[in-house]
Amino acid sequence: MCGIVGYLGNKSAKDVVIKGLKRLEYRGYDSAGISTLQNNKLEITKTQGKVSDLIAEISTGTHTGGLGIGHTRWATHGIPDNKNAHPHSDNSGKFTLVHNGIIENYQSLKQLLSDNGITCKTDTDTEVLVQFMGYLHQKEKLDFIDTVRLALNQVVGAYGIVVLCEDYPDMLIAARLGSPLLLGIGKDEFFVASDSSPIIEYTRNIIFLDEGELAVITQDQYEVRNLSGNEIVTKEIEEIEYNLDEIEKGGYDHFMLKEINEQAYTISEALRGRVNSEESTVTLGGIYDWIQQILDAKHIYITACGTSWHASLIGSYILEELLNIPVKAEYASEFRYRETAVNSDSVVICVSQSGETADTLAAIRKAREQGALTLGIVNVVGSSIARETHCGVYIHAGPEIGVASTKAFTGQVTIFNLIGILLAQKKGCNLEKIKPIIDDLDALPGLVQSVLDQGNEVFPIAEDFMDVENFLYLGRGYQFPVALEGALKLKEISYIHAEGYPAAEMKHGPIALIDDDMPVVFVVTARGYNKIVSNIQEVRARGGKIIIITSEENAELQEYSDHIIQVPDVSHCLQAVLTTIPLQMLAYHMAVLKGCDVDMPRNLAKSVTVE
Ligand code: AGP
């Protein structure tokens, strides 16, 4: 997620903003920038890279004065480079702003600007917004406040923005719709930030801007207005309670734990602007022009590595079920060297959090050479895979810093459901099958939060089994990839050997492993219930310890399990999003109890950019 800092007061705005951006580094980013306004002159410095790179770019004696804004960018539109870094300005140079969020209608605004002779310099949706402000100011002769307000009332999407205008050397305007912004109320100084970490060392008095609110800050006062009606809003000043040292990881002990707990938010980000539950429709701009070619495909391959391959396996089940055509999930390292049937009748979907995994990138390049249409499901915007696929859908999970992938996985599964629904509708699939999935998608962030709220229920399980040397994870159908994912999470951060298997396969070998010390995790849902209960009894009969993650808790499962965790029941093609979370938490707690480096496990990199 991007980070925003604004300041108006008697201190050096440059110092306050730069220090604030460093406080926001935990959010992860790929570029940074600052703008200050002194004597009606806007100065801007921005660069790809880190805040330390930005500091190196700032020339001595520049950026003086007490009014400034800054930004750390996690790219959504436009690759991470100097020109796409924020702040962005309009062509007149009068306005400059920083933005966190997504302007969904930026293309239509960009066309309007182009029709009026205004061309954009960058690939970002943010620049379109500030150019639109410059256009309105020029055309309608509006003052600063009305320029910002009128522009935002024509924006569709999510934003947290802070704006400066050269003609107003003592005014800062902030506004939010969907991306959080706070005001810090100091003594003769004011702060704006994405969260309170840049503010807390100066003041504990903060105001949370609510949706659709705009704040006008001047040297000695502030006021908050409602964007639509422009009426003044009375806001309560709240006090920050936590201490500064708790925020390096957003208050969590590890990035992995933070990212696990972000999943209600990141799922809502994956869905934002894409699902219309009233009309039961899905909109995915990134593949819109390719839908017919995808539907005409004779076969669909999905290729990925690691956790992304587990999501791909679930995605293959979803697409095959909803589209009724063969869909094959392949390890990219195998797919890239295999003699495949890929040709111009093929669609090859690749899934990658980083968008830089070497095997996956090579697989996509091979698919393109063989004439296939390639589609990327990626988290990092502007990454190689995102750039080299014909079309794609970003998961918008924000930076995933922990090496063990968590929120990316649940985001990928969510996106596969969106793609499946969109294609099935275009193919004329009956609504009865799709409507329940859309209803569950609507409720999913809340359901994810309910599972996260019970997250500590797995702690006793972690304590019971932290010293074992082997784990077995078993599931059927859509829960077989969940078993694989649970096993991968455990082995990669706790170094305990763990295997995932289709539950029915146990009798073809793994059952020989079962003894009094072997914990077996079963992921149980309504689908295949009776069959997997038989598998549970087979393990019990041999002394295995039973851990059940289930959407079907009942007396029978209670009786058969040593530990049981229940999650809400949802459509089977979405269930993995909920059943995976307790397994993420189990792996996390076992790794912490074993004293492992959870965020940077031995031998592992966050992105495997080599073969
Ligand atoms: C998952 O926890 C691991 N970090 C690893 O398996 C990862 O999923 C794999 O390397 C693929 O990475 P990608 O999604 O960035 O392509």
Side-chain angles (χ1 to χ4, degrees):
M1 295 164 281
C2 303
I4 288 176
V5 179
Y7 177 72
L8 176 52
N10 301 316
K11 295 182 177 70
S12 155
K14 177 185 71 174
D15 293 348
V16 172
V17 167
I18 291 293
K19 199 170 183 184
L21 293 181
K22 291 195 74 59
R23 292 261 179 249
L24 293 176
E25 285 189 301
Y26 78 88
R27 301 160 72 96
Y29 65 105
D30 44 54
S31 53
I34 182 172
S35 176
T36 51
L37 176 52
Q38 170 82 325
N39 305 324
N40 292 77
K41 187 84 189 77
L42 275 171
E43 281 184 303
I44 296 179
T45 305
K46 56 186 185 176
T47 182
Q48 182 181 355
K50 298 301 180 191
V51 175
S52 53
D53 300 310
L54 174 63
I55 293 168
E57 288 292 317
I58 293 175
S59 311
T60 311
T62 59
H63 292 292
T64 55
L67 175 56
I69 59 178
H71 189 266
T72 52
R73 179 176 184 242
W74 176 262
T76 55
H77 293 68
I79 62 172
D81 63 10
N82 289 4
K83 78 173 181 347
N84 287 334
H86 300 205
H88 287 286
S89 305
D90 72 312
N91 291 336
S92 75
K94 195 180 283 290
F95 295 92
T96 185
L97 66 78
V98 291
H99 166 228
N100 180 17
I102 296 170
I103 309 295
E104 298 290 350
N105 64 331
Y106 82 100
Q107 292 285 20
S108 55
L109 291 175
K110 194 168 187 174
Q111 187 56 55
L112 179 145
L113 293 167
S114 170
D115 295 345
N116 286 275
I118 298 169
T119 51
C120 292
K121 310 179 282 290
T122 75
D123 315 317
T124 65
D125 56 339
T126 303
E127 188 206 351
V128 171
L129 177 56
V130 71
Q131 293 283 16
F132 186 52
M133 287 181 186
Y135 162 71
L136 286 178
H137 179 74
Q138 177 61 36
K139 179 169 178 286
E140 309 291 345
K141 305 295 180 244
L142 302 169
D143 68 16
F144 184 15
I145 298 171
D146 284 342
T147 297
V148 175
R149 201 167 56 77
L150 191 65
L152 293 179
N153 280 327
Q154 309 206 21
V155 158
V156 176
Y159 53 80
I161 63 165
V162 187
V163 198
L164 296 178
C165 176
E166 266 189 353
D167 299 344
Y168 295 76
D170 68 347
M171 187 178 284
L172 191 66
I173 293 182
R176 84 154 276 180
L177 185 70
S179 296
L181 269 186
L182 291 71
L183 307 189
I185 314 299
K187 189 172 176 350
D188 303 326
E189 59 183 2
F190 298 96
F191 307 79
V192 181
S194 307
D195 65 38
S196 51
S197 54
I199 297 172
I200 184 173
E201 65 190 275
Y202 305 103
T203 176
R204 288 185 173 275
N205 298 324
I206 54 171
I207 286 174
F208 290 92
L209 280 188
D210 288 313
E211 296 294 28
E213 291 184 342
L214 173 143
V216 180
I217 300 170
T218 57
Q219 193 65 45
D220 49 13
Q221 66 162 22
Y222 69 92
E223 69 178 21
V224 177
R225 300 181 181 194
N226 183 298
L227 259 173
S228 50
N230 200 26
E231 68 271 7
I232 302 287
V233 179
T234 305
K235 300 293 288 182
E236 180 196 351
I237 294 181
E238 303 185 43
E239 189 168 332
I240 305 172
E241 275 148 23
Y242 63 77
N243 299 315
L244 195 53
D245 59 7
E246 296 171 48
I247 58 171
E248 302 318 23
K249 295 180 177 72
Y252 291 97
D253 292 339
H254 299 95
F255 280 112
M256 181 181 177
L257 185 60
K258 179 167 82 78
E259 288 150 16
I260 289 171
N261 282 285
E262 279 179 339
Q263 290 177 107
Y265 172 74
T266 51
I267 296 280
S268 63
E269 287 298 285
L271 297 171
R272 186 189 299 281
R274 293 170 163 171
V275 180
N276 181 325
S277 42
E278 282 78 47
E279 296 168 12
S280 285
T281 56
V282 164
T283 308
L284 295 171
I287 62 171
Y288 186 78
D289 296 333
W290 305 87
I291 289 173
Q292 196 50 55
Q293 190 173 341
I294 296 168
L295 291 175
D296 294 342
K298 298 265 189 315
H299 28 70
I300 297 179
Y301 294 89
I302 309 176
T303 188
C305 301
T307 285
S308 296
W309 182 78
H310 299 152
S312 301
L313 197 51
I314 293 171
S316 71
Y317 298 170
I318 293 168
L319 296 183
E320 186 150 12
E321 178 177 341
L322 292 183
L323 302 179
N324 194 29
I325 60 170
V327 183
K328 195 170 183 327
E330 297 232 25
Y331 281 114
S333 54
E334 291 296 307
F335 183 71
R336 65 181 292 193
Y337 294 114
R338 212 165 58 71
E339 295 300 312
T340 65
V342 171
N343 57 35
S344 56
D345 288 331
S346 308
V347 170
V348 177
I349 299 172
C350 76
V351 182
S352 175
Q353 188 286 131
S354 64
E356 301 298 346
T357 300
D359 284 321
T360 311
L361 188 53
I364 278 300
R365 287 169 177 165
K366 174 186 173 184
R368 286 197 66 140
E369 283 162 16
Q370 294 176 232
L373 169 65
T374 57
L375 184 159
I377 298 176
V378 177
N379 190 35
V380 179
V381 174
S383 54
S384 304
I385 290 173
R387 287 201 303 273
E388 297 193 24
T389 40
H390 292 96
C391 60
V393 183
Y394 282 122
I395 67 171
H396 295 316
E400 188 177 68
I401 300 165
V403 164
S405 189
T406 50
K407 61 180 181 174
F409 174 80
T410 51
Q412 290 159 351
V413 173
T414 303
I415 295 301
F416 268 117
N417 277 275
L418 295 183
I419 292 172
I421 290 166
L422 174 61
L423 296 176
Q425 284 179 322
K426 297 293 182 190
K427 195 175 180 180
C429 167
N430 60 24
L431 196 54
E432 288 66 52
K433 191 157 194 170
I434 288 176
K435 186 75 175 76
I437 305 173
I438 289 191
D439 292 344
D440 283 344
L441 279 169
D442 228 20
L444 195 58
L447 295 174
V448 166
Q449 191 56 53
S450 69
V451 177
L452 292 171
D453 292 344
Q454 69 181 34
N456 289 330
E457 282 184 18
V458 299
F459 192 71
I461 306 173
E463 285 184 311
D464 279 2
F465 297 108
M466 62 177 283
D467 296 322
V468 301
E469 292 176 3
N470 298 288
F471 252 84
L472 201 53
Y473 288 71
L474 301 177
R476 283 177 177 259
Y478 282 81
Q479 303 310 314
F480 160 49
V482 173
L484 294 173
E485 176 59 12
L488 175 60
K489 287 289 93 58
L490 185 68
K491 61 186 148 191
E492 70 173 325
I493 63 172
S494 74
Y495 316 143
I496 294 173
H497 175 250
E499 279 192 77
Y501 252 89
E505 269 299 296
M506 200 187 47
K507 295 186 294 299
H508 303 278
I511 199 165
L513 293 171
I514 304 299
D515 61 22
D516 294 352
D517 298 327
M518 171 65 89
V520 181
V521 177
F522 282 94
V523 190
V524 180
T525 60
R527 287 195 152 201
Y529 178 84
N530 293 329
K531 299 295 182 191
I532 204 163
V533 166
S534 306
N535 300 142
I536 291 172
Q537 288 172 313
E538 288 152 10
V539 170
R540 285 185 77 236
R542 291 158 179 81
K545 298 287 182 291
I546 308 289
I547 301 161
I548 294 179
I549 311 294
T550 181
S551 58
E552 307 296 311
E553 187 170 2
N554 54 41
E556 183 178 49
L557 293 180
Q558 287 279 6
E559 183 201 341
Y560 294 158
S561 59
D562 297 286
H563 296 274
I564 187 165
I565 300 282
Q566 185 175 13
V567 299
D569 179 38
V570 290
S571 306
H572 56 273
C573 45
L574 269 178
Q575 189 69 63
V577 170
L578 300 180
T579 50
T580 301
I581 293 172
L583 301 181
Q584 296 170 345
M585 293 298 280
L586 177 61
Y588 171 78
H589 284 303
M590 290 187 73
V592 169
L593 287 172
K594 290 173 64 72
C596 298
D597 183 346
V598 172
D599 284 333
M600 286 177 278
R602 67 187 183 195
N603 312 333
L604 288 175
K606 181 58 188 167
S607 177
V608 183
T609 54
V610 293
E611 279 198 59

PDB file of all heavy atoms in Angstrom, residues 305-308 352-354 357 403-405 488-489 492 608, ligand 1:
ATOM      1  N   CYS A 305       4.411 -21.453  -9.496  1.00  0.00           N
ATOM      2  CA  CYS A 305       5.320 -22.158  -8.579  1.00  0.00           C
ATOM      3  C   CYS A 305       4.801 -22.027  -7.162  1.00  0.00           C
ATOM      4  O   CYS A 305       4.110 -21.061  -6.837  1.00  0.00           O
ATOM      5  CB  CYS A 305       6.716 -21.563  -8.645  1.00  0.00           C
ATOM      6  SG  CYS A 305       7.457 -21.606 -10.277  1.00  0.00           S
ATOM      7  N   GLY A 306       5.147 -22.959  -6.321  1.00  0.00           N
ATOM      8  CA  GLY A 306       4.915 -22.853  -4.884  1.00  0.00           C
ATOM      9  C   GLY A 306       3.465 -22.585  -4.520  1.00  0.00           C
ATOM     10  O   GLY A 306       2.540 -23.192  -5.063  1.00  0.00           O
ATOM     11  N   THR A 307       3.296 -21.631  -3.625  1.00  0.00           N
ATOM     12  CA  THR A 307       1.946 -21.277  -3.172  1.00  0.00           C
ATOM     13  C   THR A 307       1.070 -20.869  -4.338  1.00  0.00           C
ATOM     14  O   THR A 307      -0.118 -21.203  -4.404  1.00  0.00           O
ATOM     15  CB  THR A 307       2.046 -20.158  -2.136  1.00  0.00           C
ATOM     16  OG1 THR A 307       2.524 -20.716  -0.909  1.00  0.00           O
ATOM     17  CG2 THR A 307       0.734 -19.463  -1.902  1.00  0.00           C
ATOM     18  N   SER A 308       1.657 -20.148  -5.279  1.00  0.00           N
ATOM     19  CA  SER A 308       0.873 -19.703  -6.442  1.00  0.00           C
ATOM     20  C   SER A 308       0.400 -20.896  -7.257  1.00  0.00           C
ATOM     21  O   SER A 308      -0.651 -20.841  -7.906  1.00  0.00           O
ATOM     22  CB  SER A 308       1.709 -18.752  -7.297  1.00  0.00           C
ATOM     23  OG  SER A 308       1.994 -17.583  -6.537  1.00  0.00           O
ATOM     24  N   SER A 352       1.460 -15.337 -10.092  1.00  0.00           N
ATOM     25  CA  SER A 352       2.710 -15.010  -9.394  1.00  0.00           C
ATOM     26  C   SER A 352       2.536 -13.784  -8.506  1.00  0.00           C
ATOM     27  O   SER A 352       2.121 -12.737  -8.996  1.00  0.00           O
ATOM     28  CB  SER A 352       3.833 -14.729 -10.397  1.00  0.00           C
ATOM     29  OG  SER A 352       5.006 -14.308  -9.728  1.00  0.00           O
ATOM     30  N   GLN A 353       2.838 -13.895  -7.231  1.00  0.00           N
ATOM     31  CA  GLN A 353       2.789 -12.750  -6.336  1.00  0.00           C
ATOM     32  C   GLN A 353       3.815 -11.721  -6.775  1.00  0.00           C
ATOM     33  O   GLN A 353       3.446 -10.572  -6.993  1.00  0.00           O
ATOM     34  CB  GLN A 353       3.066 -13.196  -4.891  1.00  0.00           C
ATOM     35  CG  GLN A 353       2.855 -12.152  -3.819  1.00  0.00           C
ATOM     36  CD  GLN A 353       3.936 -11.073  -3.770  1.00  0.00           C
ATOM     37  OE1 GLN A 353       3.594  -9.900  -3.737  1.00  0.00           O
ATOM     38  NE2 GLN A 353       5.225 -11.407  -3.768  1.00  0.00           N
ATOM     39  N   SER A 354       5.047 -12.133  -6.950  1.00  0.00           N
ATOM     40  CA  SER A 354       6.128 -11.183  -7.246  1.00  0.00           C
ATOM     41  C   SER A 354       6.136 -10.742  -8.703  1.00  0.00           C
ATOM     42  O   SER A 354       6.608  -9.679  -9.051  1.00  0.00           O
ATOM     43  CB  SER A 354       7.471 -11.838  -6.930  1.00  0.00           C
ATOM     44  OG  SER A 354       7.657 -12.963  -7.799  1.00  0.00           O
ATOM     45  N   THR A 357       9.184 -14.510 -10.767  1.00  0.00           N
ATOM     46  CA  THR A 357       9.675 -15.879 -10.604  1.00  0.00           C
ATOM     47  C   THR A 357      10.189 -16.415 -11.933  1.00  0.00           C
ATOM     48  O   THR A 357       9.441 -16.435 -12.928  1.00  0.00           O
ATOM     49  CB  THR A 357       8.564 -16.770 -10.047  1.00  0.00           C
ATOM     50  OG1 THR A 357       8.177 -16.225  -8.772  1.00  0.00           O
ATOM     51  CG2 THR A 357       9.009 -18.198  -9.889  1.00  0.00           C
ATOM     52  N   VAL A 403       8.359 -13.861   3.610  1.00  0.00           N
ATOM     53  CA  VAL A 403       8.674 -14.820   2.538  1.00  0.00           C
ATOM     54  C   VAL A 403       7.534 -15.812   2.355  1.00  0.00           C
ATOM     55  O   VAL A 403       7.185 -16.194   1.247  1.00  0.00           O
ATOM     56  CB  VAL A 403       9.986 -15.558   2.859  1.00  0.00           C
ATOM     57  CG1 VAL A 403      10.139 -16.798   1.993  1.00  0.00           C
ATOM     58  CG2 VAL A 403      11.169 -14.621   2.667  1.00  0.00           C
ATOM     59  N   ALA A 404       6.903 -16.240   3.414  1.00  0.00           N
ATOM     60  CA  ALA A 404       5.781 -17.177   3.301  1.00  0.00           C
ATOM     61  C   ALA A 404       4.562 -16.425   2.783  1.00  0.00           C
ATOM     62  O   ALA A 404       4.088 -15.475   3.395  1.00  0.00           O
ATOM     63  CB  ALA A 404       5.471 -17.799   4.652  1.00  0.00           C
ATOM     64  N   SER A 405       4.077 -16.852   1.642  1.00  0.00           N
ATOM     65  CA  SER A 405       2.969 -16.147   1.008  1.00  0.00           C
ATOM     66  C   SER A 405       1.659 -16.502   1.704  1.00  0.00           C
ATOM     67  O   SER A 405       1.353 -17.663   1.926  1.00  0.00           O
ATOM     68  CB  SER A 405       2.911 -16.565  -0.465  1.00  0.00           C
ATOM     69  OG  SER A 405       1.997 -15.769  -1.162  1.00  0.00           O
ATOM     70  N   LEU A 488       3.102 -26.676   2.941  1.00  0.00           N
ATOM     71  CA  LEU A 488       4.190 -25.792   2.501  1.00  0.00           C
ATOM     72  C   LEU A 488       4.448 -24.696   3.534  1.00  0.00           C
ATOM     73  O   LEU A 488       5.585 -24.399   3.883  1.00  0.00           O
ATOM     74  CB  LEU A 488       3.844 -25.164   1.142  1.00  0.00           C
ATOM     75  CG  LEU A 488       4.835 -24.125   0.629  1.00  0.00           C
ATOM     76  CD1 LEU A 488       6.213 -24.721   0.445  1.00  0.00           C
ATOM     77  CD2 LEU A 488       4.358 -23.497  -0.676  1.00  0.00           C
ATOM     78  N   LYS A 489       3.379 -24.086   4.039  1.00  0.00           N
ATOM     79  CA  LYS A 489       3.545 -23.038   5.063  1.00  0.00           C
ATOM     80  C   LYS A 489       4.356 -23.570   6.237  1.00  0.00           C
ATOM     81  O   LYS A 489       5.273 -22.934   6.725  1.00  0.00           O
ATOM     82  CB  LYS A 489       2.166 -22.566   5.558  1.00  0.00           C
ATOM     83  CG  LYS A 489       1.387 -21.710   4.612  1.00  0.00           C
ATOM     84  CD  LYS A 489       1.942 -20.319   4.424  1.00  0.00           C
ATOM     85  CE  LYS A 489       2.891 -20.108   3.296  1.00  0.00           C
ATOM     86  NZ  LYS A 489       2.643 -20.356   1.922  1.00  0.00           N
ATOM     87  N   GLU A 492       8.182 -24.440   5.293  1.00  0.00           N
ATOM     88  CA  GLU A 492       9.089 -23.364   4.845  1.00  0.00           C
ATOM     89  C   GLU A 492       9.433 -22.390   5.971  1.00  0.00           C
ATOM     90  O   GLU A 492      10.450 -21.696   5.894  1.00  0.00           O
ATOM     91  CB  GLU A 492       8.517 -22.607   3.651  1.00  0.00           C
ATOM     92  CG  GLU A 492       7.321 -21.735   3.916  1.00  0.00           C
ATOM     93  CD  GLU A 492       6.950 -20.901   2.683  1.00  0.00           C
ATOM     94  OE1 GLU A 492       7.840 -20.482   1.935  1.00  0.00           O
ATOM     95  OE2 GLU A 492       5.753 -20.703   2.461  1.00  0.00           O
ATOM     96  N   VAL A 608      11.870 -15.989  -6.304  1.00  0.00           N
ATOM     97  CA  VAL A 608      12.922 -16.866  -6.847  1.00  0.00           C
ATOM     98  C   VAL A 608      13.173 -16.481  -8.290  1.00  0.00           C
ATOM     99  O   VAL A 608      12.550 -16.982  -9.219  1.00  0.00           O
ATOM    100  CB  VAL A 608      12.492 -18.341  -6.739  1.00  0.00           C
ATOM    101  CG1 VAL A 608      13.615 -19.255  -7.235  1.00  0.00           C
ATOM    102  CG2 VAL A 608      12.120 -18.674  -5.294  1.00  0.00           C
TER     103      VAL A 608
HETATM  104  C1  AGP B   1       5.257 -19.519  -0.676  1.00  0.00           C
HETATM  105  O1  AGP B   1       5.041 -19.255   0.687  1.00  0.00           O
HETATM  106  C2  AGP B   1       6.727 -19.365  -1.067  1.00  0.00           C
HETATM  107  N1  AGP B   1       7.235 -18.109  -0.686  1.00  0.00           N
HETATM  108  C3  AGP B   1       6.965 -19.724  -2.531  1.00  0.00           C
HETATM  109  O2  AGP B   1       6.496 -21.032  -2.741  1.00  0.00           O
HETATM  110  C4  AGP B   1       6.279 -18.803  -3.565  1.00  0.00           C
HETATM  111  O3  AGP B   1       4.887 -19.002  -3.552  1.00  0.00           O
HETATM  112  C5  AGP B   1       6.824 -19.177  -4.951  1.00  0.00           C
HETATM  113  O4  AGP B   1       8.213 -18.910  -4.964  1.00  0.00           O
HETATM  114  C6  AGP B   1       6.154 -18.402  -6.085  1.00  0.00           C
HETATM  115  O5  AGP B   1       6.401 -17.039  -5.921  1.00  0.00           O
HETATM  116  P1  AGP B   1       5.536 -16.011  -6.820  1.00  0.00           P
HETATM  117  O6  AGP B   1       4.118 -16.162  -6.424  1.00  0.00           O
HETATM  118  O7  AGP B   1       6.092 -14.666  -6.493  1.00  0.00           O
HETATM  119  O8  AGP B   1       5.755 -16.386  -8.265  1.00  0.00           O
END
